[in-house]
Amino acid sequence: MKRSTPVNHAKAAEKFMKDTAHARFHDKRLWDLRQKRDQQMHLLPEWQELRTLASQIKEHTLAHLPEYLEQFEANALKNGVHVHWATDAAEHNRIVGEILEKHGVRTLIKSKSMVTEECEMAPYLTQCDVQVIETDLGERIQQLDNQMPSHIVVPAVHKLASDVAKLFAQHYHTAPDDDDPHSLAWAQRLAARPVILSADAGMTGVNFAVAETGSFVVCTNEGNADLSATVPKLHIATLGIEKLIPRMADLGVFIRLLSRSALGSPITQYTTHFRAPQKGSEMHVVLVDNGRSHRLGMEEFWTSLKCIRCGACMNTCPVYRRSGGLSYGAVYSGPIGVIIDPTFNERKYSTLPFASTMNGSCTHVCPVKINIHEQIYQWRGVLANHHELPFVKREIMRMVGKILGRPKLYRAMVQGAETTLNVLPRFLLYRTMNPWGKNRTLPRPVQQTFHAWYKEHRVKKNRNT
Amino acid sequence: MTSREEILARLRNNRPHSTDYVLPSLPLLGERTATRQRFEENLKDLGGQVLEQQEGEIFSEAIARCFPDEKVICSAVPEFDGTLRLENIISPQQADKVDVLVVRSPFGIVETGSVFLSEKELQHRNFAAHLTQHIVVLLSEKNLIANMHVAYDQRTEFREARYGVLMSGPSATADIQGVLIRGAQGVRTLRIWWE
Ligand code: SF4
């Protein structure tokens, strides 16, 4: 396997921050989403109970995943749905390609799906002469601009309306100086309709798959997913195997948490339950592993599979808000990306666990109670085990120096003997700079001095080798 | 070994100790009042509207008043004809020409102002609910459910429908510079008519 160079997150972040108009808007917009989420949370006295239930349901499901997958499959088959299993990205793409080929599909319309991004499906299908059209507005903007989504819920959040105006002028022939979001959204509607009406197949992602009924649920806002699933006669839904939940009633818990955590709205405009193909149509479900079964065996990291991809941890993260999703150089960015990307490619994403202030805010907002900041800390341990001390120090330095903008202070402290690895940035943020720290109590990060921590991991490493 | 067997074997091998993680039973949480007023408030929060009945007005008059310029009014309910009946639509291309779709929902959820529609109400033309420009949903106050927990617990539609959508207001997007736009790619407006 070819050795990939580690992503230079700090450098990309620095570049993003230089463009103040974009950087300011990005920070403000995501913080606004975080505040809307808080407002929704305060409306529900049972919020913490919902989080606990969601976490317990997910942990239980993951511990019984083989049984629930078999149950889901059996019920889906009974409902007349075709079920496929893909061990990795290549197999996923091949399966989808074969279904499309069998039906002579030339145009595939798609709604948002992170799994297909993860599998790099679109470039593969393009090689097979299938035209893949993203129908979600944000995804479409990113597709036209040849970029990955920069956020898992709001894919083009790093762009301003003027950027979209330029792209649409080029591709949709709208007036380049018309950057009114209303007319741009209208242009997308007008451009997408004929494509939707003539497409040969539609594809959606999946938010939740219910084992006891063999059905799956898709939560969206624009209506494009429902159009993609109901207009063509062929619907393919693709999902990571961790999307399973046992019971229909579990949806009550998850639907109530998802959009409130993601966008601060009580529910997505569309919550769609697919159980069986429409009359005269065909429905396929592709269950994708692609590293998930391996992750399930990682004692410190398996609970990251509880993630329901709400993006709340991204919206609240000071590093993510400042650096923009694309700077992570990965499909999954922000705190959740930091803890799952290294499971895909440890070397390439070895720098990402340092893109964190360890302030614990991500853990605090996560609707399924993933201990995100602790896992970030544990990843640093794993990486320190596999790298040299200067690498670890340098990456922390870059994060604090370039992204948080206090290199001198940090340098002075990092050289002190009692310096702790994770408390420093917290100190910088919550005492010195404080724009996010106000009026909030955050969980204390793990306390351990840098040297003690390093020694412990070195010892472990020496034992292992 | 097939991919299926391989994945299942790896999961069996790698999973955490399964008896440590018990499936919790689900309490019926949340606000339990199912009033029309709360439904309307939540509906409006998500951009939905109420087609108010004016003094002495019947449904077809309300539609004419609300949509004076719309030409193709498609009906999926027996008591109102519109200009086109849903059962006469045979293709998405035809449904794309519809200005207003009138359909009855079996139940609404108060917590989120949502209405449920499935292939039964949409007469196996599910696309019609999304290709039409506007939708008017007939709903009865006695079919209001307090919240999501109660809905999933009690409504058998979730288990029976092939396709079941909860629509909460019209389609929307905030993908361009965070500006909220009601009326994205699906219906541009959603109205409730109380019956
Ligand atoms: S880790 Fe938690 S907060 Fe982050 S996207 Fe996943 S579910 Fe949401």
Side-chain angles (χ1 to χ4, degrees):
Chain A
M1 218 160 80
K2 97 171 183 283
R3 271 166 77 82
S4 36
T5 11
V7 174
N8 193 337
H9 170 262
K11 193 166 163 210
E14 200 183 10
K15 196 170 144 225
F16 179 75
M17 284 184 298
K18 275 210 182 107
D19 185 339
T20 32
H22 282 83
R24 270 208 202 121
F25 167 73
H26 189 260
D27 188 15
K28 194 175 130 261
R29 164 74 174 138
L30 293 172
W31 188 242
D32 182 52
L33 287 176
R34 160 72 211 263
Q35 284 177 312
K36 289 199 172 103
R37 171 243 173 231
D38 288 355
Q39 282 162 16
Q40 285 295 324
M41 173 187 74
H42 291 309
L43 290 174
L44 298 192
E46 65 275 24
W47 186 259
Q48 297 308 337
E49 197 176 347
L50 285 170
R51 286 179 76 219
T52 302
L53 285 169
S55 172
Q56 288 171 345
I57 295 166
K58 278 285 183 183
E59 283 177 2
H60 165 85
T61 315
L62 290 166
H64 300 78
L65 200 49
E67 291 78 17
Y68 283 124
L69 282 166
E70 283 169 331
Q71 191 189 2
F72 173 82
E73 181 194 41
N75 286 321
L77 290 173
K78 244 186 270 162
N79 296 335
V81 179
H82 301 260
V83 181
H84 309 264
W85 301 71
T87 50
D88 56 18
E91 189 173 15
H92 166 265
N93 295 345
R94 199 171 59 240
I95 290 168
V96 174
E98 279 166 14
I99 301 169
L100 298 180
E101 197 188 333
K102 199 174 134 214
H103 287 80
V105 171
R106 294 273 68 101
T107 309
L108 173 73
I109 47 172
K110 237 190 111 250
S111 70
K112 196 158 62 210
S113 142
M114 291 309 294
V115 183
T116 58
E117 295 286 341
E118 183 186 312
C119 295
E120 298 180 39
M121 183 194 75
Y124 172 87
L125 291 181
T126 310
Q127 275 174 19
C128 309
D129 285 328
V130 176
Q131 200 192 7
V132 181
I133 310 255
E134 297 288 349
T135 55
D136 173 82
L137 175 56
E139 285 284 344
R140 181 63 177 158
I141 292 168
Q142 290 308 92
Q143 186 182 37
L144 292 176
D145 207 12
N146 261 317
Q147 282 180 340
M148 275 193 273
S150 84
H151 186 290
I152 57 177
V153 175
V154 274
V157 70
H158 60 297
K159 283 190 166 71
L160 296 175
S162 52
D163 304 322
V164 181
K166 259 184 240 145
L167 274 174
F168 278 16
Q170 209 182 327
H171 295 276
Y172 292 166
H173 310 293
T174 50
D177 54 352
D178 182 0
D179 61 1
D180 173 14
H182 288 89
S183 50
L184 292 167
W186 187 246
Q188 165 65 13
R189 180 186 173 97
L190 293 184
R193 268 298 161 100
V195 180
I196 290 169
L197 285 168
S198 64
D200 310 303
M203 182 173 226
T204 64
V206 168
N207 291 93
F208 307 101
V210 183
E212 73 169 353
T213 54
S215 49
F216 58 92
V217 178
V218 182
C219 307
T220 55
N221 288 301
E222 288 179 19
N224 63 306
D226 285 76
L227 285 163
S228 301
T230 61
V231 173
K233 293 246 175 254
L234 174 61
H235 174 195
I236 305 172
T238 184
L239 65 141
I241 48 178
E242 82 284 14
K243 297 282 175 191
L244 266 281
I245 54 172
R247 306 162 294 197
M248 187 57 89
D250 294 325
L251 283 172
V253 173
F254 289 103
I255 301 293
R256 294 188 81 208
L257 285 168
L258 179 62
S259 191
R260 287 180 169 103
S261 299
L263 298 165
S265 75
I267 192 168
T268 47
Q269 311 292 126
Y270 297 83
T271 304
T272 310
H273 308 71
F274 295 96
R275 191 183 59 83
Q278 307 186 98
K279 220 162 89 184
S281 299
E282 218 174 280
M283 184 184 273
H284 293 254
V285 167
V286 190
L287 299 164
V288 185
D289 182 344
N290 201 31
R292 287 162 175 80
S293 58
H294 169 67
R295 206 180 306 151
L296 191 64
M298 301 173 92
E299 202 189 328
E300 293 152 302
F301 304 118
W302 70 274
T303 54
S304 64
L305 289 162
K306 291 192 286 182
C307 176
I308 57 171
R309 305 278 189 265
C310 72
C313 58
M314 308 164 87
N315 304 342
T316 200
C317 175
V319 174
Y320 176 83
R321 286 206 311 276
R322 289 181 157 224
S323 52
L326 298 178
S327 67
Y328 292 72
V331 170
Y332 301 102
S333 53
I336 180 60
V338 163
I339 60 173
I340 63 175
D341 292 331
T343 69
F344 290 107
N345 185 335
E346 189 182 308
R347 185 173 157 79
K348 185 171 177 193
Y349 302 119
S350 57
T351 48
L352 296 187
F354 300 94
S356 166
T357 67
M358 305 295 294
N359 71 15
S361 176
C362 45
T363 301
H364 199 64
V365 298
C366 177
V368 288
K369 291 187 136 178
I370 300 172
N371 58 335
I372 309 170
H373 77 295
E374 287 169 11
Q375 292 194 26
I376 296 175
Y377 181 78
Q378 280 153 352
W379 267 114
R380 289 182 181 183
V382 171
L383 293 163
N385 231 348
H386 299 173
H387 289 75
E388 292 308 308
L389 177 65
F391 166 81
V392 175
K393 270 194 173 173
R394 189 190 70 214
E395 289 306 321
I396 297 177
M397 200 67 172
R398 278 181 168 170
M399 189 276 296
V400 180
K402 299 209 162 138
I403 303 167
L404 303 177
R406 301 299 298 249
K408 271 209 190 121
L409 181 55
Y410 186 73
R411 194 185 301 274
M413 301 185 77
V414 87
Q415 280 157 2
E418 292 315 307
T419 298
T420 64
L421 182 62
N422 47 1
V423 167
L424 274 178
R426 179 186 165 87
F427 168 83
L428 285 175
L429 268 181
Y430 292 92
R431 301 279 163 74
T432 325
M433 303 168 58
N434 209 22
W436 302 283
K438 276 181 205 147
N439 309 325
R440 262 178 297 139
T441 45
L442 296 161
R444 296 295 308 177
V446 196
Q447 297 285 339
Q448 190 178 25
T449 72
F450 185 86
H451 286 278
W453 170 80
Y454 184 68
K455 228 167 80 192
E456 187 188 304
H457 286 285
R458 288 303 292 188
V459 171
K460 252 196 222 154
K461 186 186 177 181
N462 293 341
R463 256 212 313 271
N464 291 344
T465 48
Chain B
M1 200 147 74
T2 64
S3 297
R4 177 184 186 277
E5 287 161 8
E6 197 181 321
I7 293 169
L8 290 173
R10 277 205 299 246
L11 291 172
R12 285 206 172 89
N13 227 0
N14 291 349
R15 63 162 143 201
H17 199 31
S18 60
T19 48
D20 291 352
Y21 301 95
V22 185
L23 184 64
S25 59
L26 291 175
L28 287 181
L29 296 166
E31 173 73 50
R32 299 290 287 278
T33 48
T35 63
R36 176 165 152 176
Q37 190 204 344
R38 255 190 86 223
F39 178 90
E40 287 190 4
E41 280 165 20
N42 294 328
L43 169 76
K44 283 171 191 167
D45 266 359
L46 283 150
Q49 302 165 49
V50 177
L51 177 51
E52 303 279 1
Q53 183 174 22
Q54 292 188 351
E55 186 79 21
E57 189 183 52
I58 59 166
F59 180 69
S60 58
E61 291 164 351
I63 289 286
R65 168 174 58 80
C66 185
F67 300 101
D69 302 320
E70 308 298 352
K71 296 197 172 55
V72 186
I73 315 279
C74 176
S75 175
V77 298
E79 68 272 30
F80 169 74
D81 276 338
T83 64
L84 173 69
R85 298 213 51 84
L86 182 59
E87 60 264 31
N88 293 331
I89 287 185
I90 52 160
S91 70
Q93 284 69 20
Q94 216 183 338
D96 187 48
K97 306 265 167 1
V98 171
D99 295 309
V100 183
L101 176 69
V102 175
V103 62
R104 175 172 283 111
S105 167
F107 67 93
I109 301 177
V110 171
E111 175 186 7
T112 47
S114 316
V115 288
F116 182 88
L117 294 173
S118 72
E119 73 273 8
K120 194 167 156 205
E121 297 76 35
L122 294 166
Q123 301 169 9
H124 294 281
R125 290 152 181 87
N126 303 333
F127 49 75
H130 311 299
L131 288 166
T132 177
Q133 300 290 316
H134 308 276
I135 194 164
V136 176
V137 181
L138 312 189
L139 184 64
S140 162
E141 205 176 326
K142 66 175 196 300
N143 294 329
L144 288 180
I145 310 285
N147 69 37
M148 302 300 297
H149 301 295
V150 185
Y152 283 117
D153 190 57
Q154 293 180 357
R155 299 305 305 207
T156 52
E157 286 90 343
F158 288 115
R159 292 160 186 277
E160 288 156 6
R162 294 171 156 259
Y163 169 88
V165 60
L166 286 171
M167 290 176 79
S168 313
S171 65
T173 184
D175 273 354
I176 303 176
Q177 211 173 310
V179 176
L180 175 63
I181 294 161
R182 304 263 185 220
Q185 306 207 39
V187 289
R188 290 156 60 194
T189 65
L190 179 146
R191 287 179 176 81
I192 297 294
W193 172 268
W194 291 111
E195 57 173 8

